[in-house]
Amino acid sequence: MSFSPLVDQLIQALRCLPGVGPKSAQRMALHLLENDRSGAKRVAESLEIAVEQVKHCERCRILSETPTCRICSDTRRDPSMLCVVESPADVIAIEQTALFKGYYFVLKGHLSPIDGIGPQEIGIDLLFARLKNSEVTEVIMAINSTVEGEATSYYIAQQLDGTQITLSRLAQGVPLGGELEYVDGGTLAHAFQGRQPVCG
Amino acid sequence: MSFSPLVDQLIQALRCLPGVGPKSAQRMALHLLENDRSGAKRVAESLEIAVEQVKHCERCRILSETPTCRICSDTRRDPSMLCVVESPADVIAIEQTALFKGYYFVLKGHLSPIDGIGPQEIGIDLLFARLKNSEVTEVIMAINSTVEGEATSYYIAQQLDGTQITLSRLAQGVPLGGELEYVDGGTLAHAFQGRQPVCG
């Protein structure tokens, strides 16, 4: 309930944003209209342009306004390594480390048979098509360490079994700056199993 | 840092929303472009229409696409009561109680001399112009119970001193469902001072 149908409509529209309920949407709408109309215009314009022009990269399926994205167009990268992730946000996180210099492949989430999401729905067939006759020698699975993520990794590993491609996964262990006291048992067990020699 | 200038631009634009930092803005942008493009279009259209068409009501200064808002146009309301609030969100909150049947006047925030915000900046002169030669006999101050809010109420009360208009304020006391143990001392003191006879 509000006092203006257009404001109501805006509040309703803003609720499609992740993590935004009725109260936050109302706060956002009133803030934009009362205090920041130029900001509101910028949001509207950016959204419109992005929805119209941003598609998916043909090679890695990340969001991109050009047929192949910036990363895939960069010929200085190492074509022998391919990092498989669940979402574009994961690519941003990995790129921020500035450590990985290969290419990416973005799945659309993870396998979830109970929701009817199989290998084709998340694009595993496209991943294999990408690997076929390519220079890739190592596939790094940077998939979330959840039950569904593990299942997705396992499925891909099984399919690649017998090929020349090496399959690796991110190390599991204690996070940087983490206190052992507060680390869960499963993580600690992985950290013990994956212990590494101390460089003297 | 992202992979597409248009996505970067959208993330930057979304940061003007209240309570949205860089991480939330990125999450919102990726969610809209990956999973909900029709929702994104609706947001863009609603924002554009609202910014263009929603102005302020001439009488109460609430957001409205018509010269006088729905509430001010409703002749069944009681013209003898005027409720003064700090923001349109307060009007929505009061209207949801469905108890108050008078009209409203929306200030633009509260007095804050340290930030250079005086009576004119928040529109107290317009409030007095509204009261002059009107049918209003009671002004209800529904201003936030903060230090600045109290100062604003006090200023208005002083200006209306000597006129025929009765000035009232919202009752202060224990909130509904509140446990006494967790109510602060100031509130409890107000609740004691404002105690009321129990209807037998």
Side-chain angles (χ1 to χ4, degrees), chain B residues 69-146:
Chain B
C69 70
R70 267 191 201 178
I71 297 172
C72 288
S73 313
D74 185 352
T75 50
R76 288 165 305 176
R77 284 182 168 253
D78 181 357
S80 70
M81 290 168 100
L82 187 77
C83 180
V84 178
V85 296
E86 279 187 36
S87 80
D90 299 334
V91 175
I92 300 179
I94 297 173
E95 280 296 289
Q96 275 168 352
T97 66
L99 201 84
F100 178 68
K101 290 295 171 204
Y103 293 98
Y104 294 92
F105 186 86
V106 182
L107 297 174
K108 275 200 189 299
H110 45 241
L111 291 177
S112 181
I114 211 161
D115 303 314
I117 300 175
Q120 285 216 346
E121 278 72 22
I122 63 170
I124 291 186
D125 48 338
L126 298 170
L127 168 63
F128 294 143
R130 167 92 164 75
L131 289 175
K132 218 171 179 180
N133 304 324
S134 74
E135 296 170 64
V136 176
T137 56
E138 181 177 358
V139 168
I140 301 169
M141 306 294 294
I143 290 180
N144 293 339
S145 185
T146 56

Side-chain angles (χ1 to χ4, degrees), chain B residues 54-70:
Chain B
V54 175
K55 311 275 181 230
H56 291 90
C57 168
E58 284 167 2
R59 279 171 64 82
C60 71
R61 308 204 308 156
I62 208 172
L63 292 165
S64 167
E65 58 258 41
T66 47
T68 48
C69 70
R70 267 191 201 178

